[in-house]
Structure formats: structure tokens, C-alpha cells
Amino acid sequence: MAVTSDYVLPCGRDVEEVWEAIDLSGEHMRSCPHCGAVRESLLVLREATAEMVREEVEPPFDLVSRVMSAVRADVRRSDVVPLPGDGLARISTRAVAAVLRYAADGVDGVRARGCRVVEAPESTGMDPVIEVELSIAITAGQVTHQAYDEVRRRVLAAASARIGVRLARLDLVVSDVLEG
Amino acid sequence: MSVAEAAALDDATLVARSRDGDMRAYEQLVRRYQGPMYRLALRIVGSTGDAEDAVQDVFLTAWRRLGQLNDDRAFIGWLYRTTTNQCLNVLRKRKPHADTELDEHESPAPRTRPDRAVEVNAQLDALQAALRGLTPEQRACWVLREVHGRSYDEIAEAIGTTQQSVRGRLARARAQLAEVMAPWR
């Protein structure tokens, strides 16, 4: 397919036509000084282009490690859950866990240990939902079953009031009993 | 997995493993394609710093979007498109006067080969200088086609235009480059 360029020669042909016929030796090409000159230039261009193709400029030696550092940092950052709104704002699950542990610590005789936070399957940017597994240590003699309800109430409240996410599921595990 | 085994894995396998979060597989892909992507970026943006940044961004973006790639075998074409786009964006953001701050492109290691080789190298330098006289889109079209051998279809998609327009830009680029190379006849 011929493409008409803006580079029309005095003989009426354009540069692209000369390029397409560069290896053919038609009568016009042999006799026309304009086409001949352009053909010579195109041959030089072709030669320099071949040299450019052969040229092996290597990337900096540490480019791969820089890329992989960025990828690893991204993987760490992806440990996040959305905050309510347009879905662009996010909070790390570790930050959420810290808030929830602090809330549980407010109950007498309760010490939060591990707190694993995951985004619930039904979660969306508009309505972020999390599921939490919280392990606690309790002090013997200080904790009644009301205390577990209190932990649950405070953790639920902290999730919605302090972070803005809905807590759909809270698994509470007593992992240790401390001497009172 | 030994290095030899890893090197033998095909793109589609590495892409599938990377999508599952296998960073070692992804590192193999980065190692395999950082060279061509870096050279493409360098030829389009003209400065080593911008080329490095562009390539780094491209591979990070590619990692994040692996889940959106429908065909694992399409990875390489997708890399070419993303790199081209990234480079054109860099050039759009660049202030007009910044063009004067471009590197003297990579003329790696002093060129010490004699005679004919010297002339060839001088032609290559002239071509690199001439490329800077093209518009970014013309330059991208020409480099993708003539240096990296990509198809018109792929280039059209990378630039966000039609095949017809790619051919037009290529023709103008070629004519302009030939004009600059005329003194070397």
C-alpha cells in the first residue's frame, strides 16, 4: 500500500515510492537524478539503521534488582483493605490490627495477642468489610463471660468508629491464661 | 529450580506463575526483557535516566496488571505497548526547553575501531541525533518498526491510532531521516 507523503520530488515521485523500490533497478530510478539522490540517502539510512539494530546498549546492571525491590514493596503494600469512599484510599491490615488490639486491651484482664485481618469476600470500596481473628490472653480470676462480650463490642465499635470498616466476623480465641 | 531450568521456561509459563505471585518467575521475565525495553525507551526518550525510570515503571505496572492479561503469550506485545505509552507520557510531561538537556545518547565505551567502523559509528551517531528531530509519535513509530521489527497492527495499538496513520508517520519519519543522512552519501 503506497502512502502519500509530503515529500514529493520534482519528478513527481515521493520518498516513500523510492523506498519501496530501493532494491529494484527500474529505468526511472536509474536515470532520475532526484530519485537517485534520495535513494542514496535512504541507503545510508538503511545502513545506519542496521547498525542501530546491532547496537547492544545494556541497561544498568542493577535495573533488575530495582524492579524487584519495587515489586516486593508493592506486594507488602497490597496487604491492605479499602477505606470507605471511592475505593482509592486503603489502610494496611497491620494498622487495622493495631487499632483493634488496642480496643480489646481496654477490657480489664484482657491482653490482645495476635490479630489477623482479611478483607471479606463481600467487601467493596463503597462498603468495606473485614473478617478478624483475634487471640487474647486473659488474667485468671479477672475475666467473666461478660468480658468476652465486652471485647467483642469494643472491637466492633473500633472497626466502625475508628477505621470506618464493617466487621462481619470476629473469631475470638483465648490463647493464654495468665496468673492473676 | 536451577538457573538453567529457569532460563528454559517459556514466557507463557513464567507469566502464569508470576500471576500466582511467583516473584522468581517474574524476575526471569524482567531479566529476559529489560534489555529490549530499555533500548526502546532510550531511543524514544533519549536520556538514560528517563529510560531507566520508564522501564522500572513498566515492569511494576505489568506485575500489578498481570491478572488482566487474558493471553499469557501476549505478554511481550503488551510490554512493547506499555513501554511505548510510558515513554510518550514522559515526553508529554517534559518541559519544552528540557530537550536541550538530553544525554548525548549512549555512545558506550570510546569507539576505537578504525576507518570504516569509525564512519559507521559516526553515521549511527548522526542517526541518533536525527531521531531527536522527529515528533515523539513519529520517533516511536519508526523505532518500533525499523529497529524492533514490530507489526503495523501492534504499533497502531501502542500509539493509539490506525495502521494507516502509522504508515503515514513512518513515511514522514523516513523522509526526514533520509534528508538528515544525505551528507553521508
Side-chain angles (χ1 to χ4, degrees):
Chain A
M1 179 173 55
V3 172
T4 311
S5 73
D6 303 330
Y7 295 82
V8 180
L9 306 175
C11 65
R13 298 206 172 179
D14 69 22
V15 177
E16 199 63 5
E17 283 175 88
V18 178
W19 173 254
E20 280 162 13
I22 195 163
D23 292 318
L24 309 173
S25 51
E27 170 57 32
H28 176 89
M29 189 79 99
R30 274 202 306 277
S31 60
C32 172
H34 310 291
C35 286
V38 167
R39 181 173 176 274
E40 290 294 314
S41 300
L42 286 168
L43 283 172
V44 175
L45 173 62
R46 189 163 76 174
E47 199 177 274
T49 305
E51 189 62 23
M52 187 175 271
V53 171
R54 277 192 295 272
E55 189 192 40
E56 290 278 306
V57 182
E58 292 302 330
F61 72 97
D62 63 343
L63 188 59
V64 173
S65 64
R66 271 157 51 196
V67 167
M68 292 315 293
S69 296
V71 166
R72 274 188 288 274
D74 195 61
V75 169
R76 282 196 297 277
R77 269 198 301 277
S78 67
D79 232 3
V80 294
V81 290
L83 285 168
D86 52 13
L88 292 176
R90 292 168 170 266
I91 184 167
S92 87
T93 53
R94 273 180 284 181
V96 174
V99 170
L100 302 186
R101 276 198 306 266
Y102 183 76
D105 280 347
V107 180
D108 280 346
V110 172
R111 279 292 166 270
R113 286 259 171 100
C115 184
R116 203 173 67 86
V117 178
V118 295
E119 192 175 354
E122 69 266 35
S123 171
T124 63
M126 292 301 289
D127 179 23
V129 186
I130 57 171
E131 295 177 350
V132 172
E133 187 184 296
L134 179 69
S135 67
I136 55 173
I138 57 169
T139 307
Q142 280 191 23
V143 174
T144 62
H145 73 275
Q146 284 95 339
Y148 301 128
D149 291 341
E150 183 62 10
V151 168
R152 199 171 283 283
R153 198 187 61 71
R154 287 192 186 212
V155 169
L156 273 162
S160 72
R162 297 196 175 273
I163 301 164
V165 297
R166 196 150 57 81
L167 181 56
R169 179 191 172 112
L170 173 62
D171 290 333
L172 204 54
V173 180
V174 177
S175 60
D176 207 354
V177 179
L178 310 172
E179 293 301 324
Chain B
M1 182 166 58
S2 76
V3 172
E5 266 178 296
L9 291 176
D10 61 292
D11 283 7
T13 304
L14 290 173
V15 170
R17 290 186 184 184
S18 302
R19 185 186 293 116
D20 280 349
D22 182 344
M23 280 188 269
R24 288 168 63 97
Y26 194 63
E27 185 169 343
Q28 290 297 318
L29 284 172
V30 175
R31 239 173 245 293
R32 191 170 291 178
Y33 292 116
Q34 59 155 346
M37 292 311 123
Y38 176 72
R39 288 187 278 277
L40 172 66
L42 187 55
R43 284 160 189 151
I44 298 178
V45 299
S47 95
T48 52
D50 282 342
E52 286 168 37
D53 290 348
V55 172
Q56 199 173 324
D57 285 351
V58 163
F59 279 110
L60 182 58
T61 305
W63 166 262
R64 287 177 180 161
R65 296 194 187 154
L66 275 174
Q68 298 168 22
L69 188 66
N70 294 324
D71 181 359
D72 291 348
R73 288 162 303 177
F75 183 70
I76 177 68
W78 189 52
L79 268 188
Y80 270 105
R81 275 204 303 282
T82 315
T83 303
T84 304
N85 263 312
Q86 181 72 22
C87 291
L88 291 177
N89 284 336
V90 166
L91 292 175
R92 280 182 203 116
K93 283 181 202 151
R94 198 182 267 172
K95 291 180 186 129
H97 66 79
D99 269 355
T100 53
E101 295 161 12
L102 294 185
D103 293 0
E104 273 306 308
H105 193 119
E106 289 283 281
S107 299
R111 288 171 170 158
T112 52
R113 286 172 291 166
D115 306 335
R116 172 79 188 121
V118 168
E119 190 182 315
V120 168
N121 285 330
Q123 283 178 7
L124 182 55
D125 291 343
L127 175 56
Q128 278 160 354
L131 276 175
R132 287 182 222 149
L134 302 179
T135 67
E137 284 79 9
Q138 281 176 351
R139 186 158 63 239
C141 285
W142 187 86
V143 169
L144 282 166
R145 180 68 199 159
E146 300 294 327
V147 185
H148 293 263
R150 309 316 294 180
S151 71
Y152 291 107
D153 195 25
E154 259 184 313
I155 300 170
E157 216 179 314
I159 310 274
T161 184
T162 61
Q163 281 197 37
Q164 182 68 17
S165 153
V166 168
R167 286 172 195 272
R169 281 176 179 155
L170 264 173
R172 281 189 290 278
R174 188 150 36 231
Q176 208 171 316
L177 292 176
E179 214 168 277
V180 180
M181 299 307 284
W184 295 92
R185 291 199 296 248

